[in-house]
């Protein structure tokens, strides 16, 4: 059974940092692209960042320069380091896994999703 479990969310003040982790099991982690998405109340789910099996990275314009995605295949874990957080970053953050080789900004490319972890940034 495939399972993705996010952790590391919480409450942080504006300008602060958090590191999210996503541990995967039940799939060949190293051959999957991994992505992070987020959804705020009343808004559509949006792409945040992705890392391919070849370690190419992709970021939404809103987080470039502030967020960093990375993966550790030996630990079956993908990370999202979030710096310089602002209230607009508040959302439930979801980890996802994809087999495809492109289109990583589209949620339709991802086959498996985690349960989400809440990130709240106060002013």
């Amino acid at each position: 059974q495939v399972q993705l479990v996010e952790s590391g969310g919480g409450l942080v003040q504006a300008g602060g940092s958090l590191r999210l982790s996503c541990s995967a099991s039940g799939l060949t982690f190293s051959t999957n692209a991994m992505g992070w998405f987020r959804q705020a109340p009343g808004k559509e789910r949006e792409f945040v960042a992705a890392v391919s099996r070849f370690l190419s990275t992709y970021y939404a314009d809103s987080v470039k320069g502030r967020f960093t995605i990375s993966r550790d295949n030996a630990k079956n874990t993908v990370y999202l380091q979030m710096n310089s957080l602002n209230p607009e970053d508040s959302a439930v953050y979801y980890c996802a896994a994809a087999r495809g080789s492109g289109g990583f900004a589209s949620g339709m490319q991802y086959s498996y999703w985690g349960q989400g972890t809440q990130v709240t940034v106060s002013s």
Side-chain angles (χ1 to χ4, degrees):
Q1 184 178 32
V2 174
Q3 188 172 33
L4 305 177
V5 180
E6 302 97 332
S7 62
L11 176 64
V12 65
Q13 292 182 326
S17 299
L18 285 173
R19 188 179 75 158
L20 306 183
S21 299
C22 172
S23 297
S25 61
L27 77 166
T28 306
F29 182 82
S30 62
T31 65
N32 279 262
M34 301 297 298
W36 288 96
F37 292 75
R38 67 188 183 187
Q39 187 168 27
K43 298 185 67 177
E44 297 288 328
R45 181 184 62 191
E46 66 175 350
F47 169 76
V48 176
V51 57
S52 76
R53 63 185 293 188
F54 304 113
L55 304 184
S56 296
T57 57
Y58 311 86
Y59 297 95
D61 289 342
S62 60
V63 306
K64 283 182 179 178
R66 299 188 299 121
F67 291 10
T68 302
I69 189 170
S70 61
R71 66 191 298 161
D72 186 337
N73 289 343
K75 297 181 179 179
N76 283 8
T77 301
V78 62
Y79 305 95
L80 185 68
Q81 178 66 48
M82 305 186 294
N83 299 325
S84 301
L85 287 163
N86 59 65
E88 294 180 339
D89 297 315
S90 296
V92 176
Y93 283 71
Y94 297 92
C95 173
R99 172 66 70 172
S101 59
F104 298 124
S106 171
M108 293 185 290
Q109 294 283 53
Y110 295 83
S111 299
Y112 304 101
W113 296 80
Q115 84 289 345
T117 185
Q118 178 71 51
V119 172
T120 303
V121 184
S122 62
S123 300

